[in-house]
């Protein structure tokens, strides 16, 4: 779900093999999740503010797939729920992981790495000046 | 006194039509797209998300376009929109120690684990207007990348706490109060104060934070750490019963380190002021951290003498949506109450004149 | 979980229609209105009660129910309402069998009477035009409502509950896809 929650709908759709028809158990719906932080970073929880989240649940055969994804993309939520349902079938799990999740994860990791390397380029290298008297 | 009046419908429609026209500006220029605002006015988007108390970059950018760049009006639009959405629940508390960092600096330690990472900052720029930006479409150099990426780094406050020099936060798992569900009441607990400050007006937080530095409730702060980046949000849907990662949000965290003289039960040590805000909002996170620490005066046995230490004063006036509503309502017709004031004044003056004549 | 059936086909419009039905029923106590006809809710949940809860209950309204594991899982999934163990902790109380005593439910306070609970009470049948005699705000003269399968002693308990006004409990009676409301203001006499 972490990978699907960060993947644009078009990217998921492009990788998804044809799947049997599914029923919408809960049509895609956009709502809010109250994001909590902690005082001082590690103390008592407090309500920081809300974020938009879209959820969806589908039934695919016997499996029920759920998705909660940040943002308001209903198509992404439905595709994520569909993949979640399909992954529950042991016969398809490994193939789907390799065909859909792995490439999406690799793409996301590459973006993260590039950002982390940009950040690292702004890391300060201190050097000591001659002591002044 | 409130008296309903009618009329002005046509004038209002015409005013709104003109507003639409002025929003668009000169039609011979290309129209500004919401995606352009989201990408190129990113810090305005961050401020609107923080004060609108809703993390959604597209909605904040749309609100900025609609409000013609009036950021308080934009935050108002975002707050109004969020009331139309159902709340699925509350997230698990975000783990800022695991933040994917774009920026991380400390003013207390030069050499700290993870180092000083400047990120995309205005600091150390010369604040000279760059006329090269006026020439659109100029080629732009890519930012350099280093070989080894920045990974997770420990919090500075944790380094001090390990030595016993920093007061530990009490990890309490009580359900925090929520200002969007329960009105503010006093004494306000720290979680409620932090929620209030996190969505407070940036200018108000900045001014109050500044006042503490200038001696109004001073507590000699150091920036222990500022970090800017992305964190994952975990949410536990009730129907699943386990937490799932629903995506990332951009946040800024500021830990202010302050001296504390100690008390009968506690040795002298450092205490924290804490700032946490949506988006990249360093000034706002610092202001929040200064004010948070000032508001802890009573809890830490300090004298409450300055505006920034007065919880009622701070928390009742921090919200710019409330403030703008109450200030701007003065524009609305007050014909009848003004008439009565006028009547009063005339009576007083008449009787004063009579007294004088007698 | 695999027995889950869908909720509203159109969450926005269907919830608005159900809300409108409850509003109509609350404004005209004892009138029978239709709600949730297209829903397939798990037994013993009836369609009208399911529609009421889908429209009104959410993550901010604790729910108590005696309707068993399937219905509870369905409600938790579609409403997101936290399920509580004690009826006195709930904002919505769903009773498919004998309901908890009205006096045991949240009645709100003098300052905040809106915090009183809503009891969604399933009965066997609702028929207007005969039966109980209802009077009070929203009723010009008198409404008649025949309730088959009302709990024993309900009318006496209702009369006792009304003495606490403005505190109190509101009731939505549900049978199949029909519902009728008893806001706390209504007086009930045996037919």
């Amino acid at each position: 779900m972490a990978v699907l929650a960060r993947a644009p709908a078009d990217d998921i759709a492009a990788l998804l093999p044809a799947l049997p028809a599914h029923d919408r158990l809960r049509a895609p719906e956009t709502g809010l999740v109250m994001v909590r932080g902690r005082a001082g970073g590690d103390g008592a929880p407090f309500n920081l503010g809300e974020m938009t989240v879209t959820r969806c649940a589908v039934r695919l055969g016997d499996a029920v797939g759920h998705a909660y994804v940040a943002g308001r993309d209903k198509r992404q939520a439905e595709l994520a729920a569909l993949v979640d349902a399909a992954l529950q079938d042991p016969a398809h799990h490994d193939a789907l992981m390799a065909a859909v999740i792995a490439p999406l994860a690799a793409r996301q990791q590459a973006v993260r790495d590039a950002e982390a390397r940009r950040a690292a380029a702004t890391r300060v290298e201190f050097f000591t000046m001659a002591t002044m008297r | 006194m409130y008296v309903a009046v009618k009329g002005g419908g046509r004038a209002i429609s015409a005013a709104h039509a003109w507003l639409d026209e002025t929003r668009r500006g000169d039609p011979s220029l290309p129209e500004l797209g919401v995606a352009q605002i989201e990408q190129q006015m990113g810090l305005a988007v961050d401020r609107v998300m923080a004060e609108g108390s809703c993390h959604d970059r597209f909605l904040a950018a749309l609100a900025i376009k609609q409000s013609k760049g009036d950021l308080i009006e934009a935050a108002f639009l975002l707050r109004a929109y969020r009331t139309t959405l159902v709340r699925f629940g509350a997230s698990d508390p975000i783990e800022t120690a695991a933040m994917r960092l774009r920026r991380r600096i400390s003013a207390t330690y030069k050499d700290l684990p993870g180092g000083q990472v400047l990120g995309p900052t205005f600091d150390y720029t010369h604040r000279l207007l760059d006329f090269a930006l006026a020439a659109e479409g100029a080629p732009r150099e890519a930012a350099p990348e280093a070989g080894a990426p920045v990974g997770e780094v420990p919090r500075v406050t944790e380094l001090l706490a390990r030595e016993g020099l920093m007061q530990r936060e009490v990890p309490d798992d009580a359900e925090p109060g929520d200002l969007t569900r329960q009105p503010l009441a006093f004494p306000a607990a720290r979680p409620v104060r932090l929620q209030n400050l996190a969505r407070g007006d940036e200018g108000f937080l900045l001014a109050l934070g500044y006042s503490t530095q200038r001696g109004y409730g001073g507590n000699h702060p150091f920036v222990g750490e500022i970090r800017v980046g992305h964190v994952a949000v975990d949410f536990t849907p009730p129907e699943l019963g386990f937490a799932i990662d629903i995506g990332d949000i951009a946040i800024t965290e500021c830990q202010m380190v302050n001296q504390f003289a100690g008390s009968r039960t506690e040795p002298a040590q450092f205490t924290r002021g804490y700032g946490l805000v949506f988006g990249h909002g360093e000034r706002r996170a610092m202001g929040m951290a200064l004010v948070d620490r000032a508001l802890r005066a009573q809890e830490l046995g300090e004298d409450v003498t300055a505006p920034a230490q007065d919880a009622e004063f701070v928390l009742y006036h921090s919200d710019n949506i409330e403030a703008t509503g109450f200030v701007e309502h003065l524009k609305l017709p007050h014909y009848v109450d003004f008439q009565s004031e006028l009547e009063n004044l005339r009576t007083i003056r008449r009787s004063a004149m009579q007294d004088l004549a007698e | 979980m695999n027995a889950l059936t869908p909720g509203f086909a159109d969450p926005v419009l269907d919830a608005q229609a159900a809300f409108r039905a409850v509003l109509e029923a609350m404004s005209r106590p004892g009138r029978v209105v239709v709600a949730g006809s297209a829903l397939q809710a798990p037994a013993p949940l009836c369609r009208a009660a399911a529609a009421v809860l889908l429209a009104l209950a959410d993550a901010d309204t604790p729910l108590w129910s005696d309707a068993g594991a399937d219905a509870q899982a369905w409600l938790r999934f579609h409403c997101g309402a936290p399920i509580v163990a004690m009826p006195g902790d709930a904002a919505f109380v769903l009773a498919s069998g004998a309901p908890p005593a009205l006096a045991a439910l949240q009645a709100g306070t003098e300052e905040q009477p809106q915090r009183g609970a809503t009891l969604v009470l399933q009965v066997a049948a609702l028929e207007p035009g005969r039966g109980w005699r209802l009077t009070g705000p929203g009723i010009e003269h008198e409404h008649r409502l025949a309730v088959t399968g009302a709990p024993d002693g309900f009318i006496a308990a209702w009369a006792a509950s009304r003495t606490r006004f403005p505190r109190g409990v509101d009731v939505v009676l549900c049978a199949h896809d029909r519902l009728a409301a008893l806001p706390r203001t209504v007086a009930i006499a045996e037919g």
Side-chain angles (χ1 to χ4, degrees):
Chain A
M1 191 47 62
V3 170
L4 293 169
R6 290 170 177 79
D10 285 345
D11 290 9
I12 305 175
L15 294 167
L16 204 58
L19 286 170
H22 62 280
D23 293 328
R24 282 180 173 181
L25 211 45
R26 180 162 58 204
E29 174 189 20
T30 298
L32 298 165
V33 165
M34 175 54 94
V35 179
R36 288 190 174 156
R38 287 187 181 279
D42 51 4
F46 70 96
N47 291 304
L48 173 62
E50 288 158 318
M51 65 189 284
T52 52
V53 174
T54 302
R55 68 179 178 186
C56 180
V58 301
R59 177 197 299 286
L60 185 70
D62 285 339
V64 175
H66 295 269
Y68 280 77
V69 300
R72 286 168 302 107
D73 189 339
K74 293 186 171 165
R75 191 161 151 254
Q76 180 200 4
E78 183 151 16
L79 287 168
L82 185 57
V83 176
D84 182 54
L87 281 170
Q88 292 169 38
D89 180 353
H92 295 114
H93 179 270
D94 292 355
L96 265 178
M97 283 301 280
V100 181
I101 304 295
L104 290 174
R107 211 172 297 171
Q108 291 167 14
Q109 192 57 45
V111 172
R112 274 183 216 158
D113 285 349
E115 181 169 286
R117 280 196 302 272
R118 276 203 177 86
T122 69
R123 184 182 273 143
V124 180
E125 311 283 350
F126 286 104
F127 53 91
T128 311
M129 312 265 286
T131 314
M132 292 199 257
R133 291 179 194 275
Chain B
M1 179 166 146
Y2 295 93
V3 177
V5 289
K6 283 180 75 169
R10 199 180 302 158
I12 291 170
S13 308
H16 289 171
W18 198 10
L19 173 72
D20 282 344
E21 200 177 291
T22 59
R23 176 187 299 116
R24 177 61 182 86
D26 181 349
S28 68
L29 294 172
E31 184 176 344
L32 194 54
V34 174
Q36 287 175 303
I37 296 172
E38 192 263 307
Q39 288 289 309
Q40 299 175 38
M41 294 281 142
L43 297 182
V45 168
D46 286 340
R47 178 166 180 183
V48 170
M49 290 198 304
E51 290 171 6
S53 200
C54 182
H55 194 288
D56 188 309
R57 299 191 66 80
F58 178 89
L59 292 178
L62 177 62
I64 291 169
K65 178 171 179 177
Q66 187 176 336
S67 68
K68 302 170 65 182
D70 178 338
L71 299 188
I72 294 183
E73 179 75 16
F76 192 168
L77 292 169
L78 193 54
R79 289 254 189 115
Y81 180 79
R82 64 155 281 282
T83 64
T84 65
L85 297 177
V86 60
R87 185 187 288 181
F88 299 147
S91 78
D92 298 349
I94 52 175
E95 188 47 79
T96 54
M99 194 188 295
R100 275 200 342 270
L101 296 171
R102 291 165 75 88
R103 171 167 168 80
R104 185 278 194 124
I105 53 163
S106 169
T108 52
Y109 291 106
K110 177 165 70 71
D111 299 305
L112 72 169
Q116 308 270 357
V117 177
L118 300 182
T121 179
F122 290 125
D123 295 352
Y124 316 108
T125 62
H126 296 121
R127 268 70 185 219
L128 299 174
L129 271 179
D130 181 0
F131 288 92
L133 283 174
E136 287 161 27
R140 191 180 49 85
E141 272 183 44
E145 293 185 8
V150 170
E152 269 182 38
V153 299
R155 289 196 192 92
V156 169
T157 48
E158 183 55 31
L159 304 175
L160 284 164
R162 271 186 220 151
E163 285 190 66
L165 297 174
M166 167 63 76
Q167 187 187 46
R168 285 239 178 235
E169 297 287 350
V170 187
D172 150 16
D173 275 318
E175 192 68 7
D178 184 353
L179 291 172
T180 66
R181 294 293 187 270
Q182 295 292 324
L184 193 56
F186 293 93
R190 192 163 175 222
V192 168
R193 301 198 305 250
L194 289 170
Q195 181 183 13
N196 175 289
L197 297 177
R199 55 197 242 149
D201 181 72
E202 180 166 322
F204 183 80
L205 296 173
L206 175 67
L208 277 179
Y210 182 41
S211 74
T212 67
Q213 284 180 276
R214 294 195 64 260
Y216 292 88
N219 41 42
H220 203 60
F222 293 92
V223 169
E225 186 173 22
I226 290 173
R227 38 173 82 202
V228 181
H230 290 90
V231 288
V233 178
D234 285 346
F235 173 64
T236 305
E239 69 272 17
L240 292 182
F242 53 86
I244 54 174
D245 179 345
I246 59 174
D248 293 326
I249 58 169
I251 54 162
T252 303
E253 182 185 50
C254 173
Q255 302 265 9
M256 281 288 179
V257 176
N258 298 270
Q259 283 172 5
F260 168 51
S263 65
R264 258 181 232 143
T265 52
E266 284 183 275
Q269 59 185 337
F270 291 117
T271 54
R272 299 175 220 208
Y274 188 64
L276 183 67
V277 301
F278 282 152
H280 186 168
E282 216 161 292
R283 186 188 301 123
R284 127 182 238 99
M286 292 175 75
M288 175 175 170
L290 289 169
V291 177
D292 171 49
R293 176 59 183 79
L295 290 175
R296 297 181 67 195
Q298 203 157 24
E299 154 204 349
L300 296 169
E302 298 164 348
D303 290 337
V304 175
T305 54
Q309 296 168 319
D310 180 340
E312 279 199 38
F313 178 79
V314 173
L315 302 181
Y316 270 141
H317 302 115
S318 60
D319 193 293
N320 57 20
I321 314 293
E322 282 173 20
T324 203
F326 202 47
V327 168
E328 294 203 43
H329 105 280
L330 293 173
K331 297 183 289 198
L332 299 176
H334 285 67
Y335 307 137
V336 175
D337 27 346
F338 187 69
Q339 277 301 318
S340 84
E341 295 266 318
L342 210 56
E343 201 53 46
N344 255 334
L345 187 64
R346 286 198 173 119
T347 313
I348 293 166
R349 286 174 64 114
R350 227 179 353 253
S351 69
M353 295 295 263
Q354 272 169 6
D355 289 350
L356 223 76
E358 278 162 16
Chain C
M1 185 57 85
N2 284 352
L4 270 181
T5 53
F8 284 136
D10 184 326
V12 174
L13 293 181
D14 291 351
Q16 283 175 356
F19 180 85
R20 182 72 223 181
V22 177
L23 182 65
E24 176 73 17
M26 282 281 179
S27 329
R28 295 174 173 77
R31 284 273 170 87
V32 176
V33 297
V34 171
S37 304
L39 282 172
Q40 319 159 18
L45 197 54
C46 78
R47 286 171 287 167
V52 170
L53 291 170
L54 286 185
L56 300 184
D58 65 18
D60 290 328
T61 56
L63 173 69
W64 181 90
S65 139
D66 67 355
D70 282 355
Q72 258 178 33
W74 192 84
L75 288 168
R76 187 165 48 221
F77 176 74
H78 287 297
C79 306
I83 308 283
V84 293
M86 302 297 294
D89 295 332
F92 287 97
V93 174
L94 168 67
S96 57
L102 293 177
L105 307 185
Q106 279 182 31
T109 62
E110 296 282 333
E111 293 79 22
Q112 296 193 305
Q114 75 276 14
R115 293 188 168 266
T118 300
L119 169 62
V120 179
L121 178 57
Q122 295 194 170
V123 294
L126 292 168
E127 198 62 52
R130 58 189 180 81
W132 293 353
R133 296 172 185 279
L134 309 183
T135 53
I139 302 174
E140 190 173 10
H141 302 295
E142 179 184 273
H143 277 173
R144 304 291 300 271
L145 179 67
V147 181
T148 314
D152 293 339
F154 182 80
I155 289 183
W158 183 257
S161 183
R162 281 189 73 234
T163 62
R164 305 177 289 177
F165 191 82
R167 300 167 68 238
V169 172
D170 304 305
V171 173
V172 181
L173 299 167
C174 298
H176 312 291
D177 63 349
R178 313 174 90 193
L179 63 85
L182 303 173
R184 65 189 75 175
T185 48
V186 79
I188 309 177
E190 291 277 10

